[in-house]
Amino acid sequence: MKICVIYGTERKGCTWHIAQEVLSRLPEAEVTEFFLPRDCPDFCISCFRCFHEENHCYHSEGARRILSALLAADVILMTSPVYALHLSGQMKTLLDHYANMWMVHKPNAEMFHKQAVVIATASGPVYRAALREMKDSLDFWGVARTYRMGFTLMEINWERLPPKLKQKITRQAEKTAAKLRRSVSGPGVKVWFLFHAMRLAHKYAWQDSPDAKWWGEHGWLGRSRPWQ
């Protein structure tokens, strides 16, 4: 199993520790880690080349390097503490580079065979927005299954977390790791629906677009499916 981990901050705080709880239960995995903004400090410059030419970022070497790891992985793990009620700005900056591979445009077939985990923490239940924002990209990339781990932490120091809360995190990490060991035979309901909705749009409404050409070249406008 190959796991690509993207941390939404360089600080090894609570979200980092929760990710380690999951990873420690998958000792056989080959793990590649990226820390933001260090490993991708570049903003998307809206050149649109990724939409009209090859399906990768021309501007950011960091975004290209992380994309290669994402495509090679079996599991994608993303973490983000909550900043101003949402995910961290550096995580959003990274995800902006990959809007071209949302299903409405040019999805990568490799994504439909993957699983993912999103982890977010906050001092209240507002972590749900950060989880949703990371999961939105994973769903629209075509990732077959995405599992959410969100926690309310009234403390920024891992060592000072209450034992009961750490036990709760441990239990959820064990359950999530067990799910990741299962093979996936196809996408979940939401990803399946998105794929077929976009397929119909490309087949009947956007036939002349570069995106429709991409879908046609992969056979997805016919009977072929990326998860087969």
Side-chain angles (χ1 to χ4, degrees):
M1 178 189 295
K2 293 184 178 180
I3 303 179
C4 176
V5 187
I6 304 173
Y7 300 102
T9 175
E10 292 183 43
R11 180 178 176 273
K12 292 185 177 180
C14 291
T15 53
W16 181 87
H17 279 282
I18 294 169
Q20 303 316 301
E21 290 287 314
V22 177
L23 295 175
S24 68
R25 287 158 178 80
L26 299 166
E28 73 282 6
E30 176 185 330
V31 180
T32 302
E33 296 179 308
F34 298 97
F35 290 84
L36 303 176
R38 183 187 69 198
D39 292 314
C40 187
D42 311 305
F43 289 90
C44 172
I45 61 171
S46 300
C47 68
F48 284 92
R49 289 185 66 184
C50 61
F51 288 95
H52 300 298
E53 299 177 31
E54 292 297 323
N55 197 24
H56 66 260
C57 180
Y58 289 82
H59 166 66
S60 173
E61 180 182 347
R64 291 195 300 273
R65 185 170 61 253
I66 293 175
L67 177 58
S68 295
L70 288 171
L71 294 176
D74 302 298
V75 173
I76 299 168
L77 195 158
M78 293 181 178
T79 79
S80 178
V82 169
Y83 289 2
L85 300 182
H86 296 278
L87 51 70
S88 68
Q90 48 265 33
M91 179 63 82
K92 177 63 167 65
T93 294
L94 176 72
L95 296 177
D96 285 347
H97 288 90
Y98 306 135
N100 59 293
M101 65 182 195
W102 277 38
M103 266 189 273
V104 68
H105 299 297
K106 298 182 177 70
N108 287 291
E110 296 95 324
M111 288 292 177
F112 291 84
H113 301 276
K114 302 183 189 304
Q115 298 184 86
V117 182
V118 291
I119 299 172
T121 60
S123 57
V126 292
Y127 59 75
R128 293 185 180 89
L131 292 175
R132 183 181 64 251
E133 288 161 347
M134 290 185 283
K135 187 175 183 293
D136 281 345
S137 281
L138 292 161
D139 288 343
F140 277 90
W141 292 351
V143 172
R145 298 285 192 283
T146 298
Y147 310 111
R148 287 176 277 201
M149 296 179 66
F151 300 95
T152 297
L153 310 179
M154 302 302 292
E155 175 59 65
I156 63 172
N157 189 315
W158 175 259
E159 302 303 326
R160 293 202 293 262
L161 288 185
K164 285 187 177 181
L165 180 54
K166 283 189 175 181
Q167 291 171 6
K168 177 182 178 181
I169 292 170
T170 295
R171 288 194 298 271
Q172 193 162 344
E174 290 172 347
K175 291 178 181 179
T176 301
K179 291 176 182 177
L180 294 175
R181 284 200 172 93
R182 303 170 190 164
S183 60
V184 293
S185 57
V189 173
K190 181 178 178 181
V191 173
W192 185 94
F193 176 82
L194 287 171
F195 176 87
H196 285 282
M198 294 302 100
R199 175 182 173 273
L200 292 175
H202 287 300
K203 188 171 183 178
Y204 297 110
W206 305 327
Q207 304 99 316
D208 299 325
S209 71
D211 298 334
K213 181 181 178 182
W214 173 272
W215 279 67
E217 289 172 348
H218 286 77
W220 300 336
L221 299 181
R223 295 183 178 276
S224 180
R225 298 292 179 265
W227 54 85
Q228 293 173 339

